[in-house]
Amino acid sequence: MVTMKSPLRIFIEVSMKELIRSFRRQRIRWRNAFLLGSIMTTIVILLHTPTFSIFSDDEETESSSSPIYLNGSLHLNIQIVSEAKVESFPSLTTTPVVKMNSSSEIKRVDEETNLPRKRQKRKRRKKTKDDLILTDPPPAPRHILSSSERRALSLPPKEALAFAKLEIQRAPEVVNDTELFAPVFRNLSIFKRSYELMELILKVYIYPDGEKPIFHQPHLNGIYASEGWFMKLMESNTQFVTKNPEKAHLFYMPYSVKQLQHAIFVPGSHNIKPLSIFIRDYVNMLSIKYPFWNRTHGSDHFLVACHDWGPYTVSEHPELRQNTIKALCNADLSDGIFVPGRDVSLPETSIRNAGRPLRNIGNGNRVSQRPILAFFAGNLHGRVRPQLLKHWRNKDDEMKIYGPLPHNVARKMTYVQHMKSSKYCLCPMGYEVNSPRIVEAIYYECVPVIIADNFVLPFSEVLDWSAFSVVVPEKDIPRIKEILLEIPMRRYLKMQSNVKMVQKHFLWSPKPRRYDVFHMILHSIWFNLLHHNQTSTHVPSFRQHP
C-alpha cells in the first residue's frame, strides 16, 4: 500500500531542503532561520504528543477512533497511541492522559501518584479548609461629600467632634445594606453614620516615645494577641494616623501589657505594682514633654490592653484611671476601673499563627451535623468552671462538659471538631471575666453561651448580643440544659445564622478590611469619645424604631 504523506509533513520537508540550500549558498537570514527553527521544533513536539494526533500522517489517521464532537461544534479525530510510540518518548509517560467522552466531560488520571479518587478529593478539601477564605467585599459606593462635610474637614478637632455628634443624631435610616446585617446591630442607622464619619474625620496621633519591647513592639501570638495586632495595624495605618498632633482627635499610648509583664514582672513575687508605677512615670513624662495630656487631663487619650493585668496598670495614675479611654479584654464592672460608655470591651482572640491569623478557623458544620447540645473543655481556674463541672461533667450525654479535654476523647474528636459539632458552646469566665472561647465559638459558628457576671460584652455599644448569643447568670449553672432546651428551634436557627453574619467583625487580617475587628475597636473608641459625659438628650438612641 502506498504511504500518503500529510501536507504538513510535505511542507516541513520542503522547508528543510530550502534552508539547507540557503546555508550552502551562504545566504543566511538568521532571523528567519531562528523563527523557522522554532516553528518546526514546536511542530515536531506536537507530532509526538498523544493528545495532538490531529497532525499525524494519513496512514496513522486511518486507524484512529471514530469522530468525536464536543458540544456539537468541534470535530476531532482522536488517535489511539500505540505502546511503541509512547516508549520512544519516556519523558512523556508521566503526563496525565486526557480522555474525552461525548458529553465533553474530561477525566484526569494521575499516572504518577495513582491515588484513588476519594483520597485526592479529601486532599483538596483539606487544603481549602486550612484557612478561612474571605471574599473581597463589594466596592463601597462612592460617598459624595455634602457641603457641611467638606467644611468639617477643615474644622479644628473639637469643633469637628461636635459636628460628628450632631450628624449621628440625624442619621438617615438604613433600609438595605450590602455589607452590614441589620439584625446583629442595636441600631444599624446610627452605626453606619458613625462609621462613615469616623472614616471621614478621625485622626490619631501615636506617641513616638518609649523603647521596645514594652512600646512599639506588638505581641502577635496567643490569647492576648488583640493588643499586639491593634498596635501593629494602627502604627502601619495611613488613613487614620497623623504626624501632626494639632490635628489629632485621639492620642494613642502604644504600650503592650504582655511585653510589660515580660520586662518588669518578677516571677513568683505576686506583685504587679511595679508595672503600674512604670506606666505612671511614662504618662507623667508625656504630660511634661507635650501639652496635649494637660489640656484634656487625658480624656482624649486611649490605650489598648488585652492581658488580664491591663486594668491594674493604670491604678497608680488618677487621671489615667479616671479619664483615659481604656480598651480592655478584662472588661469587669466589679473592679471599679472599667467604666461603660467611656471604656471599650476588647474581644480576646487567640492567634496561633502570626503570619496567617485566619488559619484553621471558620468552616463550621451545618446545623444538622451538630448532635451535641452544649460543649466545654478547659482548665478549671476561677470560681465558675468548677461549679460547671460539678453539675454537668459525666451527667448527660447531650452535655459534653470536660476539664482539659481528655486524650482518649481528643483522639476521636478534637477541641475544634467539638465546637463545630455543637449547637451551643459554653464560655464560662476563668480568673477574669473574658475568655477567648467567645470569639472561637463565633469562628466555628457555634452559638456562644456566656457565663460571667459583671462582664461587658465586646462592642456592646453597637452590637446586639441577644441576637447571636445566650447569657446565663452564674447562679443558673444547674439549669443550663433547661434554659437551652427552652429556646425554640426557630430562634436557635436565627441565632446560629446571625453568628455567621457577625463573624466578619471579629476577624484579624494582615491587611485590614472595612468593619473587621481592627476597625470595630477603633470605632468603639471613637464612638465613646463622642458620647461620654453627654446628657441623655444628646446621646442617640440605639434601639430600632418599631
Side-chain angles (χ1 to χ4, degrees), residues 330-356:
N330 190 6
D332 188 349
L333 290 175
S334 64
D335 61 14
I337 296 176
F338 186 94
V339 178
R342 180 196 66 195
D343 298 328
V344 171
S345 180
L346 184 68
E348 189 169 308
T349 54
S350 180
I351 304 295
R352 295 175 177 84
N353 188 321
R356 296 163 65 184

Side-chain angles (χ1 to χ4, degrees), residues 28 51 201 403 491:
I28 304 171
T51 56
I201 294 174
R491 184 187 165 203

Side-chain angles (χ1 to χ4, degrees), residues 97-108:
V97 178
V98 180
K99 300 179 181 180
M100 289 180 284
N101 57 21
S102 58
S103 63
S104 72
E105 180 181 358
I106 300 178
K107 298 181 180 179
R108 301 183 63 88

Side-chain angles (χ1 to χ4, degrees), residues 308 376 378-389 428-434 451 474 477:
D308 289 349
F376 168 78
N379 294 323
L380 300 183
H381 49 72
R383 66 176 184 265
V384 174
R385 297 180 187 184
Q387 290 296 314
L388 181 65
L389 266 69
M429 65 175 288
Y431 287 128
E432 306 296 346
V433 291
N434 206 349
I451 313 171
E474 295 172 19
I477 286 177

Side-chain angles (χ1 to χ4, degrees), residues 350-513:
S350 180
I351 304 295
R352 295 175 177 84
N353 188 321
R356 296 163 65 184
L358 298 179
R359 186 176 185 181
N360 295 324
I361 66 174
N363 302 301
N365 294 345
R366 298 191 300 270
V367 173
S368 60
Q369 296 175 332
R370 294 179 179 267
I372 302 170
L373 176 63
F375 165 69
F376 168 78
N379 294 323
L380 300 183
H381 49 72
R383 66 176 184 265
V384 174
R385 297 180 187 184
Q387 290 296 314
L388 181 65
L389 266 69
K390 175 184 175 181
H391 288 92
W392 292 106
R393 180 160 57 180
N394 300 324
K395 299 292 178 64
D396 194 304
D397 291 339
E398 290 185 294
M399 305 281 288
K400 302 296 183 183
I401 309 299
Y402 306 96
L405 195 63
H407 292 296
N408 61 328
V409 175
R411 281 197 298 267
K412 298 177 183 177
M413 184 182 290
T414 65
Y415 177 86
V416 170
Q417 289 171 338
H418 271 89
M419 278 199 154
K420 291 184 176 183
S421 302
S422 301
K423 293 181 175 66
Y424 297 95
C425 290
L426 305 187
C427 307
M429 65 175 288
Y431 287 128
E432 306 296 346
V433 291
N434 206 349
S435 167
R437 285 170 184 79
I438 297 174
V439 177
E440 286 177 342
I442 293 173
Y443 285 167
Y444 301 119
E445 300 165 16
C446 179
V447 176
V449 179
I450 299 146
I451 313 171
D453 294 351
N454 302 312
F455 178 40
V456 179
L457 290 164
F459 313 139
S460 54
E461 63 276 351
V462 293
L463 292 182
D464 180 7
W465 279 82
S466 66
F468 55 90
S469 70
V470 179
V471 177
V472 175
E474 295 172 19
K475 64 180 179 62
D476 288 337
I477 286 177
R479 297 183 54 246
I480 285 181
K481 183 176 181 181
E482 178 186 347
I483 291 171
L484 297 181
L485 291 178
E486 286 176 353
I487 298 174
M489 179 55 69
R490 179 177 295 179
R491 184 187 165 203
Y492 166 75
L493 293 174
K494 187 175 293 186
M495 284 194 297
Q496 202 269 341
S497 176
N498 290 345
V499 166
K500 298 179 186 178
M501 303 307 294
V502 82
Q503 188 183 76
K504 64 186 290 184
H505 303 303
F506 292 89
L507 295 173
W508 291 106
S509 299
K511 184 179 179 181
R513 296 163 171 260

Side-chain angles (χ1 to χ4, degrees), residues 189-200:
S189 301
I190 292 290
F191 172 74
K192 181 80 172 179
R193 185 59 178 147
S194 177
Y195 191 95
E196 289 173 349
L197 291 167
M198 178 188 76
E199 290 184 313
L200 176 67

Side-chain angles (χ1 to χ4, degrees), residues 205-268:
Y205 180 75
I206 304 175
Y207 282 111
D209 308 82
E211 296 182 359
K212 296 180 179 180
I214 298 174
F215 302 90
H216 309 288
Q217 182 169 310
H219 182 84
L220 301 176
N221 284 332
I223 63 174
Y224 302 131
S226 288
E227 65 182 30
W229 272 92
F230 181 87
M231 182 190 297
K232 169 185 168 66
L233 299 178
M234 190 78 252
E235 292 202 320
S236 62
N237 188 274
T238 58
Q239 179 181 3
F240 298 108
V241 173
T242 178
K243 298 295 183 182
N244 184 357
E246 296 294 342
K247 294 184 177 180
H249 309 89
L250 282 166
F251 295 80
Y252 175 38
M253 297 178 289
Y255 70 90
S256 166
V257 180
K258 179 66 175 176
Q259 302 287 37
L260 184 65
Q261 176 205 11
H262 285 310
I264 295 180
F265 178 70
V266 178

Side-chain angles (χ1 to χ4, degrees), residues 279-299:
I279 296 302
R280 178 199 67 190
D281 295 342
Y282 166 71
V283 174
N284 287 337
M285 179 272 295
L286 295 180
S287 64
I288 295 172
K289 185 176 179 179
Y290 302 92
F292 312 112
W293 179 277
N294 293 328
R295 71 185 184 187
T296 64
H297 301 284
S299 62

